Amino acid sequence: MTLLAAPTTNYVRRRERARELGARFDFAQQPLALYLAIVDAQERAFERARNDSPSRADLAPYVVRVALPGVMEAAVAAGTETLREATLLRFDEADLEGLIESWLAGDETSGTDTFLARASTQPVLEALPELAAQLRRSDAGERTCPRCGGLPQLAVFPETGEALLTAQRTLVCSRCAKEWVLSRMVCASCGETSGAKMPILSDVDLFPHLRIDACEICRRYLITVDLRKDPRAVPVVDELVALPLDLVAAERGYTKIARNLMGF
């Protein structure tokens, strides 16, 4: 029973944190309002997927039948005018199963297509780790998700419970949400190990628990969430409000390893 309840608790925590951060940061209110609508649809898809256990062959049709309608409804209800119009256009004209398969294959797609596919498919993959594992290709890089082969979305320094104990860095998959350990002295994109080539950028007054970990070699970066500095943080939600840090990274010529659900 505990194993089944834990993922649902994750969605509750994501929802509560999004409300908290939306009240704290004016600039994040609109994207977090959309996120809250999407989380409701994702939680429903997660529960359905656990019960239905679709096969890999049926994954795209299943997502289109079960998860995508709720995500589209949320996007139309809570999204920007541009997102609403683009979503309605996809509903009328797009090959929706092809849209899902393209995202699964890692193909370059439009921002709207990526948003719809990711928001709809991710909860299904999070619910079914064995299904997610079937997506990992034999040529997947060593710094990709050990389960599905997805790119890391963000990094986390977890709480250790001891002030002098150094926490291991974990990465969170942008596709199936699995967490895995990678040395903090290794670039999560290219594998660079020289600390002099990996600058850290932050705004401790605005985000004391968030920072940019960048790499001068590959010019990529990700956001790191330090739970030792804010134990209430929910990494996948807190990363969404790091837009000011994303802008700093962009100004300095860095590209995020994997954009988050909102496209930042």
Side-chain angles (χ1 to χ4, degrees), residues 85-101:
E85 292 177 352
T87 298
L88 292 172
L89 184 64
R90 299 305 188 281
F91 180 78
D92 290 334
E93 300 180 1
D95 172 9
L96 297 179
E97 290 184 17
L99 182 151
I100 301 299
E101 287 291 357

Side-chain angles (χ1 to χ4, degrees), residues 201 212 219 221 243-256:
L201 308 173
I212 294 168
R219 307 300 296 176
Y221 80 97
L243 179 58
L245 297 182
D246 291 321
L247 294 176
V248 169
E251 289 172 356
R252 301 196 181 197
Y254 297 113
T255 302
K256 188 177 280 187

Side-chain angles (χ1 to χ4, degrees), residues 6 42 77 89 100 140-141 168 179 196:
Q42 289 185 321
L89 184 64
I100 301 299
Q168 289 185 311
E179 298 183 14

Side-chain angles (χ1 to χ4, degrees), residues 41-245:
Q42 289 185 321
E43 186 174 26
R44 293 192 298 269
F46 179 94
E47 296 295 346
R48 279 286 304 273
R50 286 201 300 175
N51 291 328
D52 297 342
S53 295
S55 66
R56 171 64 184 94
D58 190 43
L59 178 56
Y62 180 84
V63 169
V64 169
R65 291 194 311 270
V66 172
L68 186 58
V71 168
M72 284 186 151
E73 182 180 352
V76 171
T80 63
E81 181 176 355
T82 299
L83 179 60
R84 289 196 295 269
E85 292 177 352
T87 298
L88 292 172
L89 184 64
R90 299 305 188 281
F91 180 78
D92 290 334
E93 300 180 1
D95 172 9
L96 297 179
E97 290 184 17
L99 182 151
I100 301 299
E101 287 291 357
S102 292
W103 181 77
L104 289 170
D107 296 341
E108 290 288 336
T109 59
S110 73
T112 300
D113 288 351
T114 298
F115 169 78
L116 293 174
R118 176 174 178 174
S120 302
T121 309
Q122 190 172 52
V124 177
L125 298 180
E126 187 174 1
L128 302 171
E130 293 182 359
L131 175 59
Q134 297 178 46
L135 300 175
R136 185 173 174 83
R137 303 187 332 191
S138 59
D139 61 348
E142 62 180 341
R143 286 170 297 280
T144 59
C145 173
R147 176 186 292 157
C148 77
L151 295 173
Q153 177 63 66
L154 55 90
V156 180
F157 288 144
E159 289 186 272
T160 63
E162 297 183 27
L164 299 180
L165 183 62
T166 300
Q168 289 185 311
R169 179 177 70 162
T170 60
L171 303 181
V172 180
C173 180
S174 62
R175 191 155 64 170
C176 74
K178 178 179 174 56
E179 298 183 14
W180 73 99
V181 174
L182 183 71
S183 169
R184 63 174 64 201
M185 297 306 298
V186 176
C187 171
S189 178
C190 71
E192 174 63 36
T193 59
S194 172
K197 299 294 185 181
M198 292 186 287
I200 295 171
L201 308 173
S202 64
D203 184 338
V204 295
D205 293 328
L206 185 61
F207 301 122
H209 66 304
L210 302 179
R211 76 186 201 189
I212 294 168
D213 281 288
C215 178
E216 293 287 355
I217 302 301
C218 65
R219 307 300 296 176
R220 309 282 281 203
Y221 80 97
L222 47 60
I223 299 294
T224 294
V225 182
D226 194 336
L227 296 179
R228 299 167 302 177
K229 297 179 179 179
D230 187 349
R232 292 174 52 84
V234 177
V236 295
V237 181
D238 285 59
E239 198 259 6
L240 295 175
V241 303
L243 179 58
L245 297 182

